[in-house]
Amino acid sequence: MANILVHHKVEDYGKWKPVFDRHESFRAENGSKGGRVFRSSNDPNEIFILFEWDSVENAQKFVQSDNLKEVMREAGVVGMPAIYFVDEVI
């Protein structure tokens, strides 16, 4: 299991969220086990997403995919996202 933390800004959360939701099936086909979306308390267009993935390899392929880049443009992601591969500490 792999965990990915993504942080990015969007032009408009109301525009971004439906595009993100429509992309769920593509994420699942590529190993996503789901995720949780958070917004900054100070800026509703600052997004954090914590994903679970079946493997680090599949997660890396996904974040480098042309499909993801296209969907992020469509959704109004501003700039480059920060993407971290993280391990849960118990």
Side-chain angles (χ1 to χ4, degrees):
M1 196 67 70
N3 295 293
I4 306 168
L5 178 62
V6 178
H7 171 235
H8 57 67
K9 295 274 291 185
V10 297
E11 294 169 356
D12 175 25
Y13 178 82
K15 173 186 172 186
W16 174 84
K17 185 65 163 79
V19 176
F20 175 81
D21 290 345
R22 283 195 310 269
H23 199 234
E24 192 273 330
S25 62
F26 183 79
R27 290 191 302 271
E29 290 168 14
N30 286 275
S32 173
K33 300 297 182 186
R36 297 173 57 196
V37 176
F38 302 86
R39 295 194 310 182
S40 169
S41 299
N42 298 322
D43 182 352
N45 293 320
E46 185 175 11
I47 309 298
F48 300 83
I49 311 161
L50 180 60
F51 287 110
E52 288 186 14
W53 226 267
D54 63 352
S55 72
V56 171
E57 296 79 19
N58 283 340
Q60 288 172 334
K61 282 189 241 178
F62 175 79
V63 300
Q64 295 171 5
S65 72
D66 290 337
N67 179 278
L68 178 59
K69 292 172 189 162
E70 180 181 318
V71 168
M72 288 189 334
R73 273 192 299 274
E74 177 188 347
V77 172
V78 177
M80 293 295 295
I83 300 172
Y84 305 94
F85 293 84
V86 296
D87 296 319
E88 183 175 8
V89 179
I90 299 175

